[in-house]
Amino acid sequence: AGGDGAGAEPASRAAASSHHIADMPEGRMGCQAAVVSLPDHSGAYPMARRPCAVVVGGERCDETSGDLPRVKQFKSVHIFDIEANAWRDDELVPDMSVPRTAAALCVGVGWAA
């Protein structure tokens, strides 16, 4: 080893760039995300050991033929399984009751009803 590392790519960045991540089912902006431990596909709470990014809300702005763009807000929640490097298709986390852009998220220990 040795040298100043100039021009060398850090090992973690090189490993991350070699993995392809599939696009979200619905592209969006203005969403929020948090990494939480969830049950695996065949599991159930309280056995939550699978690190997942939970993406909540957001909006998509579609170009229109008029002067104003059409904005669609989302209430959907998408889950990315970090270990599997894939989007989950189960509905472990329910959608929000109303569509929102820039919702706030908080991660804590416990159960919310």
Side-chain angles (χ1 to χ4, degrees):
D4 64 2
E9 189 172 6
S12 62
R13 187 179 305 157
S17 65
S18 67
H19 296 288
H20 174 74
I21 297 175
D23 290 339
M24 282 181 72
E26 297 173 301
R28 61 191 64 203
M29 63 183 179
C31 55
Q32 297 294 315
V35 174
V36 296
S37 294
L38 296 174
D40 63 18
H41 286 285
S42 60
Y45 287 108
M47 303 304 291
R49 297 187 179 144
R50 197 84 179 175
C52 296
V54 177
V55 181
V56 177
E59 65 185 15
R60 181 175 54 228
C61 187
D62 294 326
E63 303 265 343
T64 63
S65 59
D67 291 336
L68 299 174
R70 197 175 92 210
V71 176
K72 176 184 179 184
Q73 289 186 308
F74 294 104
K75 65 178 185 175
S76 58
V77 175
H78 292 284
I79 302 170
F80 184 78
D81 187 317
I82 295 169
E83 289 179 357
N85 195 36
W87 293 98
R88 292 176 63 156
D89 57 5
D90 53 349
E91 297 181 11
L92 189 61
V93 179
D95 288 347
M96 295 184 294
S97 59
V98 296
R100 298 177 194 270
T101 300
L105 300 180
C106 177
V107 177
V109 178
W111 177 267

